[in-house]
Amino acid sequence: MSQIAQMVQLLEQQAFFAAAVLLILGFVFSLLARVVNLPRVTGYIIAGILLGPSVFKVFTDQALSQLEFMPQFALGIIAVIIGAGLSFTLIKRLGLGLLIITLFESLGAFFLVFCGLSLLKMPLEAVLPLAAISAATAPAATVAVIREFHAVGPFTETTLAVVALDDAIAITLFGLIMTLDLKNISGLGDAALHSLSESFWEIVLAVVIGLALALLAHLLLKLTREISDALIVMIGIVLLGVTLATVADVSHLLANMVLGMVLVNISAKNSEVVTGLERAAPPIFVFFFVLAGAHLDLAIFIDSGWTMLFWGLVFVFARIFGKMIGSFLGGTLSGASEPVRKYLGLALAPQAGVAIGLSLLIGKASAYFDFRAVIINITLMAVAINELVGPVLTKIALFRAGEAQREK
């Protein structure tokens, strides 16, 4: 027992030891996940849950705090990879259909969650924010599964493009709902317009930051001769992007997506650099998902009671079915292929960082503050389930679409 206590103490004191243990155990659990035919991502998350404060407490809150910068950095890298998949050629080919599919799958989740929770007599002050949060997707898990199974094709391209856009829709919806004074509907029009304006300018500022970073990265990459030098530049630019977006209080996910998108459309050489960044990404994925699992608080399922648990399950199922129905309707209306119509909703099941971030934005001055605990608990509950089940559903969607490859 004393040896275990000494190891836990060492993990709390030595960030490098904590990082080493995290990477090695993440790898071991990914092997176990593959034995039972699960994606590596699920193995990483299970490793984090078991080793984190909720179960065996190998990683305490103090040990995890030493690595808290890693999730933001990892999301920055992932956002660049997603943005790089949005070449102008692809956007031109997908055209208006991409926007229609994204709107329908986002609003499909919103309306189904709204109806499901309303039927269960949940207060409207909790229903509306949760419905907006349901529109968000976790880009990290989706990208990780796509890379693991080397998925390539129209379905994969559409999935990455939709993931890049629906978080912006979720942020806008949430910002709009936060201004609604449900006790004084007479002021609704002005408040909604003000909120929409604020959300619009936040998105514009994130786009401007992404554009500036892309131009700076392009100039610096022209000075590089080897891929190793180019990767140094890209990592520095991503870290700068996370910093600037945080200071400006805008989405660093959106800023880095724009960075990746603009960068690959400026020069073919830049596409090779992003490809090199993708090859270096697996250790970053391990850090991100093991830490995500370690931060999941399983006590929520016990402490919240049966009513909260039931609300959480309805949220999860309504969100997934909403995205499936919305993707089917949007795909049908836009003339998308059969795999997109039938399986895109499954591929969008993962949910994590953006959803949690939105739930934490409800401050004391908000009309929804009295229901903040309910909203946060259900969001965390949904994230815990979606981060475990979501990658599996994404894998199923990729294989049914015929674009994933089984590992030998």
Side-chain angles (χ1 to χ4, degrees):
M1 183 64 185
S2 60
Q3 291 180 336
I4 295 175
Q6 286 177 355
M7 189 182 82
V8 170
Q9 188 177 15
L10 190 60
L11 287 168
E12 292 176 345
Q13 295 173 350
Q14 298 293 330
F16 290 114
F17 182 55
V21 172
L22 186 148
L23 282 172
I24 293 169
L25 291 179
F27 168 71
V28 170
F29 274 85
S30 75
L31 294 180
L32 295 174
R34 289 168 65 188
V35 169
V36 293
N37 207 26
L38 291 174
R40 287 192 183 100
V41 174
T42 305
Y44 300 149
I45 295 169
I46 291 172
I49 292 172
L50 293 178
L51 300 172
S54 287
V55 186
F56 294 121
K57 298 180 173 57
V58 175
F59 286 99
T60 62
D61 290 328
Q62 185 177 339
L64 293 174
S65 66
Q66 298 181 90
L67 304 170
E68 62 184 11
F69 71 94
M70 279 302 302
Q72 299 296 329
F73 171 58
L75 276 175
I77 296 290
I78 291 161
V80 170
I81 293 172
I82 292 173
L86 292 173
S87 66
F88 292 152
T89 304
L90 173 64
I91 293 173
K92 186 177 179 181
R93 189 167 75 247
L94 295 177
L96 183 62
L98 172 61
L99 183 59
I100 292 172
I101 292 170
T102 306
L103 281 173
F104 270 76
E105 61 86 11
S106 298
L107 294 177
F110 178 93
F111 284 117
L112 219 60
V113 168
F114 178 86
C115 292
L117 294 178
S118 296
L119 287 173
L120 295 176
K121 308 296 183 184
M122 177 184 278
L124 189 60
E125 293 88 342
V127 172
L128 281 171
L130 285 168
I133 288 169
S134 71
T137 303
T142 307
V143 171
V145 175
I146 286 171
R147 300 304 174 217
E148 177 181 349
F149 295 102
H150 310 289
V152 179
F155 176 82
T156 303
E157 289 177 339
T158 304
T159 301
L160 288 172
V162 170
V163 166
L165 295 175
D166 73 351
D167 279 346
I169 292 176
I171 291 167
T172 304
L173 277 173
F174 190 84
L176 184 60
I177 284 169
M178 282 299 99
T179 64
L180 304 184
D181 184 355
L182 301 178
K183 296 178 181 177
N184 183 21
I185 301 298
S186 60
L188 186 62
D190 292 339
L193 188 62
H194 176 71
S195 173
L196 194 59
S197 174
E198 280 194 346
S199 297
F200 172 76
W201 286 114
E202 284 179 13
I203 292 171
V204 168
L205 183 54
V207 170
V208 169
I209 291 173
L211 284 169
L213 290 170
L215 293 175
L216 176 60
H218 178 64
L219 292 174
L220 293 174
L221 289 173
K222 289 174 74 173
L223 303 176
T224 62
R225 295 183 178 180
E226 297 180 5
I227 190 67
S228 57
D229 293 332
L231 290 177
I232 292 170
V233 169
M234 283 305 302
I235 289 173
I237 293 293
V238 169
L239 290 170
L240 180 60
V242 173
T243 304
L244 291 176
T246 303
V247 171
D249 198 23
V250 298
S251 169
H252 74 82
L253 271 176
L254 184 56
N256 278 305
M257 282 180 190
V258 173
L259 161 62
M261 182 181 72
V262 175
L263 201 58
V264 297
N265 286 289
I266 293 177
S267 168
K269 179 187 175 183
N270 294 341
S271 297
E272 296 174 8
V273 174
V274 175
T275 301
L277 192 63
E278 287 185 49
R279 290 172 181 165
I284 296 171
F285 286 149
V286 178
F287 269 116
F288 180 80
F289 290 109
V290 175
L291 286 172
H295 280 100
L296 292 178
D297 186 4
L298 297 185
I300 293 169
F301 293 95
I302 301 170
D303 298 339
S304 298
W306 287 107
T307 302
M308 191 80 74
L309 179 60
F310 189 54
W311 281 346
L313 290 174
V314 169
F315 175 92
V316 170
F317 284 107
R319 175 183 171 272
I320 293 174
F321 281 116
K323 285 190 174 288
M324 290 173 66
I325 294 169
S327 298
F328 180 82
L329 293 175
T332 302
L333 188 62
S334 62
S337 64
E338 183 180 354
V340 170
R341 296 197 307 270
K342 293 175 72 173
Y343 307 125
L344 179 61
L346 282 179
L348 300 175
Q351 190 179 38
V354 174
I356 295 173
L358 291 175
S359 71
L360 295 175
L361 288 178
I362 301 172
K364 291 183 179 179
S366 171
Y368 302 88
F369 184 73
D370 290 343
F371 297 91
R372 186 174 187 262
V374 173
I375 294 165
I376 290 175
N377 275 2
I378 289 177
T379 302
L380 290 173
M381 202 180 297
V383 165
I385 296 170
N386 284 326
E387 282 297 87
L388 286 170
V389 177
V392 178
L393 295 179
T394 301
K395 174 189 171 183
I396 291 170
L398 292 171
F399 275 101
R400 289 190 175 178
E403 295 186 6
Q405 302 174 34
R406 294 194 180 276
E407 292 184 294
K408 297 181 180 179

